[in-house]
Amino acid sequence: MAVIGIMDSGVGGLSVYREVVKLLPDEHYIYYADNAHCPYGEKTAAYIIDRAFSIVDLMIGRGARVVVVACNTATAAAIAALRAHYDIPFIGMEPAVKPAAMNTRSGVIGVLATAGTLKASKYLMTRGRFEDDVRIVESVGQGFVELVESGELAGPHAEAVVRTSLQPLLDAGADTVVLGCTHYPFLLPVLQRVAAQLGAPGVRFIDPAPAVARRLVQVMQQEGIAREPAGSGSLETLSSGPDAAIRRIMLILQEQI
Ligand code: DGL
């Protein structure tokens, strides 16, 4: 049985599950929201590595053959340590700087991510590969994770929070904005609304989740992880804190998947 583990600091990784399950609808998923320790964005790498190891141990104990680290911050902090320690494959997140650089017409791309992701060497290397070709401006999505965890995905307060972090990117001329945290795609409607209010209705937001889903399919093929027969898909959700946020987001996903 192919069990796929998906982990995040909270419900953000469900934006990745949403894309993965479109390509692999028949697999068995364990989703782990580490919401008792959320947000990861300002935590040390050592803390996140420790959390990631506990979660992966639990997932392997439940039969996981592959784990998607559906969190940019945890990928930046922990994926190298996870790959060195365990003998299952890990799929990580990376801000979609490359597709943004290929798509921009203004020559300026914005990256919205957590402080942890933006200062990690993994991101700085990616940035270094493209900064000769395009101008890259960054902004921490301050308060975005909290909005998503509390289910506040619209309304004047959500718009005000989003505006504070989005405006500097648009003021710098970004026409393409990378969503570099898996929580942020759930704020896409409010991001689009605020972009329109700020006079940039055509700004494009890039969610890397579809590319991550394609990568998972590829890795499962390479590793010989057999797919399940049609009709056998399942999802088990686990969390280190209350599960209200997961239930709220699952209601939204049910309309989308
Ligand atoms: N969803 C996460 C990410 O992709 C983590 C956000 C957080 O816990 O700060 O970075």
Side-chain angles (χ1 to χ4, degrees):
M1 182 163 100
V3 177
I4 299 171
I6 303 182
M7 56 178 278
D8 179 45
S9 62
V11 292
L14 289 169
S15 70
V16 180
Y17 168 75
R18 170 171 68 185
E19 298 304 324
V20 165
V21 77
K22 287 180 190 163
L23 299 188
L24 298 166
D26 303 313
E27 309 311 311
H28 300 286
Y29 294 93
I30 305 171
Y31 183 85
Y32 193 95
D34 195 15
N35 53 352
H37 305 94
C38 184
Y40 280 177
E42 312 277 339
K43 304 269 193 319
T44 64
Y47 183 95
I48 296 170
I49 290 171
D50 193 54
R51 290 305 309 147
F53 273 59
S54 302
I55 296 165
V56 169
D57 284 342
L58 179 147
M59 287 179 162
I60 291 176
R62 288 173 178 253
R65 304 265 320 270
V66 54
V67 170
V68 181
V69 182
C71 173
N72 293 73
T73 314
T75 299
I79 204 156
L82 290 170
R83 286 185 173 137
H85 186 80
Y86 296 96
D87 58 5
I88 60 163
F90 290 90
I91 318 295
M93 304 298 301
E94 212 179 309
V97 174
K98 183 177 176 181
M102 282 160 57
N103 274 293
T104 178
R105 286 177 302 277
S106 68
V108 183
I109 68 169
V111 179
L112 274 173
T114 67
T117 296
L118 293 177
K119 67 169 192 264
S121 57
K122 202 170 166 53
Y123 170 71
L124 296 175
M125 272 163 58
T126 306
R127 180 184 212 288
R129 286 211 303 276
F130 296 96
E131 64 192 351
D132 288 344
D133 306 326
V134 291
R135 182 164 169 236
I136 304 174
V137 285
E138 289 134 3
S139 180
V140 172
Q142 211 73 57
F144 287 24
V145 169
E146 289 78 358
L147 286 177
V148 176
E149 288 295 318
S150 64
E152 199 181 340
L153 305 181
H157 174 250
E159 285 173 26
V161 170
V162 162
R163 187 175 302 113
T164 304
S165 297
L166 181 60
Q167 183 152 18
L169 302 180
L170 302 184
D171 286 351
D175 65 349
T176 309
V177 174
V178 173
L179 301 179
C181 167
T182 54
H183 280 75
Y184 300 175
F186 290 121
L187 292 170
L188 187 59
V190 71
L191 282 159
Q192 284 168 331
R193 195 177 158 88
V194 170
Q197 287 164 1
L198 293 171
V203 68
R204 184 156 175 231
F205 294 94
I206 301 191
D207 174 7
V212 169
R214 291 193 295 275
R215 177 77 190 131
L216 173 62
V217 171
Q218 212 179 45
V219 168
M220 285 176 65
Q221 269 161 9
Q222 281 162 4
E223 300 283 329
I225 300 173
R227 307 260 288 261
E228 293 296 312
S232 50
S234 66
L235 169 67
E236 179 186 14
T237 55
L238 302 166
S239 55
S240 51
D243 68 355
I246 297 185
R247 283 191 275 112
R248 258 193 313 265
I249 295 286
M250 286 311 296
L251 284 177
I252 298 173
L253 292 196
Q254 270 157 24
E255 290 161 20
Q256 298 177 348
I257 302 174

